[in-house]
Structure formats: C-alpha cells, structure tokens
Amino acid sequence: MGSPHWKRLCLLLLAGLTSSLLLYSHYRATVEAPTSQRIIASLLQPGPLVPAPSGTPQGASSRRWALGGSSESGNSLQPSAELEEPEPSRKQPSPCLHSVTARAKADPKFREIFRFNTPVLMWDQHFTLETWNRLKTRHVPYGWQGLSLAVVGSTLQLLNASANRHLFDRAAFSGGCVRCAVVGNGGILNGSRQGKAIDSHHLVFRLNGAVIKGFEEDVGTKVSFYGFTVNTMKNSLISYEEYGFTQIPQGKDLRYIFIPSDVRDYLMLKSAIQGSPVPEGSDKGDDPQKYFGLEASAEKFKLLHPDFLQYLTARFLRSELLNTQYSSLYMPSTGALMLLTALHTCDQVSAYGFITANYEQFSDHYYEVEKKPLVFYANHDMLLEAALWRSLHRAGIITLYQR
C-alpha cells in the first residue's frame, strides 16, 4: 500500500538531483569559465582593466596582475617552416607602378617567398581568444609563450587608434611612389657623403645606436621611424654613449616601432602610452618619457606582429643557427627587421649602412674613431642577411648602398 508514495519520493529525488547537476554545469560554464576566456573578456570591456583606488597613478592597476612566467620559461619553440596562416591584412592601395610588390611578383624566386597580405603590425582588434591560444604556443618573438595574458592584452588594448594599423598614411603623400630609406649603422657609411640622398626619401628608418650629430653629411638628419627592442635600445644608450648616443631620436612626427622580443617590450610600450613608470619586471620604475618624450601617445607607437616576425624568419632568414644549441636565441637583427618591414609597407626601398660583401674593409659602426671588426654574435646570422640583401638588390627589389 506504501509503494506509490515511495515511487513518487524517488521521482522527486531524481528530479532534484537532475536540477542540481544542470545548475552546477551552468555554474562551471559561466562562473568558473577558463581563466584565459574570463581575462580576455574583461580586457575587451571598455574602461580600466581593474578599478584603481582613488589617487592611484594611471596604469598602477597593472601591478595587480602577476606575470605568467618569464619569457624564457617553457620549451623554446623554433619558428615553424610551415607558417600558420594569419588573417590577411587590408593594405592601403598604392598607385606606384614600379613598386616593391610589382618587382617581387615579377621575380621567379621572390614571388614564391613574399606574402604581402601578412599583417605587419598588431593592434587591439587582434587580441582575441583564438589569437591568444594560437600564439601562446610559440616562443617570443614569434608568439607569446610564457608571457602574461593580462600584460599582453592590456598593452594591445591601448593600441586602438587608426594610426596603429598602418605604418604611415598614404593620403599624406601626393600620389606616385612612397620612397623609404632604411639606415643601418654599418661602418660603410663613414665618409660616404650619403646624407642628402638619405634625406631625399619620403620616409627614413633608423635603429638602435643611430648617431646623427657630427655625421650629418654621411647619414643625413631625417628620422621618420626609430625601430628597436627595449634591450637593444638600452644597450645602445650604454654602449655608444661615448660616441654621442645619449638619447634616442625624438620629434613631433617621429614614430616608434617596437619589436616584441620579450615581456619587457609589452610593459614598456604600455607604460609609454599611459605616461607612467614601468610597474614590474627588469625595467620596474623606469620612466618611458625620458626615451620617447613628454607627449608620447598611442598614435606614436607601432608594434610588429608576431606572425610577421615568424613569416620573415621562416621565409627570408631561416638560419642554420636554428639547428644548433643557440636556436632559442636566434632572431633576425634589428636592422634586418626594419628593412624587411619597409619592404612590406613602402613602394621603393633603399638600404644604407647594411652589411655588404666587402664588409671587412669597414669598421663595425660608422661613428667609431678606430676601426673595429664586425662582431658575429650567436643570436644573429649576419652572413645570411648579407646574402639576402645582395639577392634583393640583384632582383631590383631594393637598392643596396655599396662601395
């Protein structure tokens, strides 16, 4: 006689258990969502990453995020020979008939190497969960392995101006071909008298220890872009101070190109845009304004895309060093990255102060009083770069200054 009541009780218990399981699943999918999804979602919301207490300096809230590990942590990943296809970038159309693009496509070798739709720069809209999951598996500078999601995301969030999407605005040039000069610091420029020729270009790229004062006749004075990693910039300020390099170039129309080779590049870039001291890491407390000036805003900064660095290394400068014990250290030189950046953005490119076949005749740098031989470090392959410049020059894709 008690059997129907017992069955109803069992059914009620079963229904309650089912409801509990459904509620718990919903809780797991929302409240306990994967950490990366929750952080990215918060970063993509307008407003500050974490509300700072009243009186807290701008950017100080980033101290609340612990780094996800050193950029040297984890297994070192070499750039893959098979480039993962990034989302194609939308290039500004060029009216130039004899451009780098046209010449490269006409060359049987280089038309198979160049991919002009590879994004050169990274900005806020690139920061998605899909991009994070893809790039976190690749070692810097080709990805974000070992970097803090919060640091990378909060930095990219600040690159939200239209100027962050293109190296330069073609509308600023009245038709024709945009001509660019990339000035390395090689000793070949000492006594070259190439200053006027360099300054005659629409845009001029310089990098690292770009000493100008006293060498104007050889290297010119115009600076449109200054390219660097935080490491090479700081090392240059120390190593070449005796030659007069005590300040990186500054100017109203000058733009800075960050090469993201370490977490310190993301931290310095974020602090530079916010106008606040670096909050953590090896540059903690450093004031970016002493490098970039008091009025540096997001529009002044460009950040090379890790996919672009991967593409350049895999297709143009895939060194045998990647097969040695130095594989985790290797990346193309700053000069190489600036020259290849110009080749993917400008119409016509001239290279000055780069390594040539007769490099032994010249000092390492043009500003050295006594001749010093070129030093070959394990993290670069200068001879491979020299062969690439000669090959591009022969193909008419660049004009390489030689003497």
Side-chain angles (χ1 to χ4, degrees):
M1 289 177 60
S3 177
H5 295 288
W6 174 249
K7 288 181 179 179
R8 280 197 292 271
L9 180 61
C10 289
L11 288 173
L12 286 172
L13 288 172
L14 182 60
L17 179 61
T18 303
S19 299
S20 298
L21 288 173
L22 288 172
L23 286 171
Y24 179 71
S25 297
H26 178 70
Y27 173 83
R28 289 278 297 175
T30 55
V31 179
E32 294 190 353
T35 302
S36 60
Q37 293 186 39
R38 286 188 281 117
I39 295 178
I40 287 178
S42 67
L43 288 172
L44 295 178
Q45 293 297 319
L49 180 62
V50 178
S54 177
T56 303
Q58 185 180 16
S61 60
S62 60
R63 293 188 182 93
R64 301 186 180 187
W65 295 92
L67 288 178
S70 165
S71 61
E72 298 302 324
S73 66
N75 296 323
S76 171
L77 297 184
Q78 299 177 10
S80 171
E82 292 300 322
L83 180 70
E84 298 175 35
E85 292 288 347
E87 183 179 345
S89 63
R90 288 173 287 182
K91 302 288 185 182
Q92 293 175 302
S94 169
C96 184
L97 298 178
H98 303 289
S99 64
V100 168
T101 305
R103 292 180 184 276
K105 289 181 177 179
D107 185 270
K109 172 186 175 182
F110 284 109
R111 68 171 168 236
E112 299 299 323
I113 298 177
F114 276 92
R115 287 185 179 176
F116 289 102
N117 65 343
T118 302
V120 175
L121 302 177
M122 174 165 271
W123 61 89
D124 64 330
Q125 291 183 15
H126 286 128
F127 189 63
T128 63
L129 179 61
E130 181 183 5
T131 302
W132 169 257
N133 286 333
R134 181 169 59 83
L135 293 184
K136 73 179 181 180
T137 65
R138 299 205 309 238
H139 193 275
V140 289
Y142 313 107
W144 295 329
Q145 186 189 51
L147 302 189
S148 162
L149 183 153
V151 169
V152 172
S154 59
T155 300
L156 294 181
Q157 185 183 35
L158 298 174
L159 296 174
N160 55 14
S162 59
N164 301 131
R165 304 185 181 192
H166 305 288
L167 209 61
F168 57 88
D169 183 6
R170 286 191 172 274
F173 302 94
S174 55
C177 302
V178 178
R179 299 170 56 248
C180 297
V182 186
V183 185
N185 301 320
I188 192 173
L189 286 177
N190 189 299
S192 66
R193 297 179 179 273
Q194 292 299 303
K196 289 184 178 179
I198 290 171
D199 286 347
S200 69
H201 291 76
H202 295 107
L203 299 167
V204 177
F205 294 68
R206 299 185 193 269
L207 53 114
N208 294 343
V211 179
I212 292 177
K213 188 175 181 180
F215 297 92
E216 294 89 346
E217 192 174 62
D218 291 336
V219 302
T221 60
K222 182 185 291 187
V223 188
S224 309
F225 299 102
Y226 176 76
F228 61 98
T229 69
V230 171
N231 183 57
T232 62
M233 176 187 73
K234 290 197 167 186
N235 284 346
S236 296
L237 288 168
I238 295 171
S239 301
Y240 310 126
E241 181 181 11
E242 62 179 297
Y243 304 113
F245 190 69
T246 58
Q247 172 66 60
I248 70 170
Q250 291 185 6
K252 179 182 176 182
D253 297 324
L254 190 152
R255 299 294 181 261
Y256 298 103
I257 304 176
F258 270 79
I259 301 170
S261 69
D262 200 334
V263 67
R264 65 193 302 202
D265 296 292
Y266 291 95
L267 288 168
M268 180 67 77
L269 175 55
K270 177 181 177 181
S271 292
I273 295 173
Q274 293 179 326
S276 60
V278 178
E280 58 185 287
S282 58
D283 302 301
K284 183 177 179 178
D286 203 0
D287 183 6
Q289 293 182 339
K290 70 183 181 183
Y291 306 115
F292 311 113
L294 298 176
E295 298 180 358
S297 60
E299 288 78 4
K300 288 188 75 71
F301 299 103
K302 318 288 182 177
L303 178 67
L304 293 186
H305 199 304
D307 277 335
F308 183 61
L309 301 177
Q310 158 89 354
Y311 152 74
L312 296 182
T313 303
R315 288 182 159 262
F316 291 90
L317 292 168
R318 187 170 181 81
S319 172
E320 290 299 321
L321 289 171
L322 289 169
N323 301 321
T324 72
Q325 60 181 318
Y326 304 110
S327 61
S328 63
L329 300 176
Y330 174 74
M331 65 180 287
S333 69
T334 307
L337 294 176
M338 287 302 98
L339 183 48
L340 289 165
T341 295
L343 279 170
H344 286 77
T345 51
C346 304
D347 293 323
Q348 296 175 355
V349 177
S350 301
Y352 298 86
F354 282 79
I355 185 172
T356 55
N358 60 340
Y359 69 89
E360 293 179 331
Q361 296 180 21
F362 311 104
S363 188
D364 193 356
H365 302 99
Y366 62 80
Y367 36 79
E368 290 160 343
V369 178
E370 296 182 5
K371 182 180 177 182
K372 296 183 179 181
L374 177 63
V375 179
F376 293 89
Y377 294 102
N379 60 330
H380 301 314
D381 192 336
M382 301 304 293
L383 293 180
L384 177 62
E385 292 181 10
L388 175 61
W389 312 146
R390 290 195 299 272
S391 183
L392 288 165
H393 178 77
R394 286 195 297 267
I397 297 173
I398 67 171
T399 300
L400 176 66
Y401 173 71
Q402 304 176 77
R403 53 190 286 211

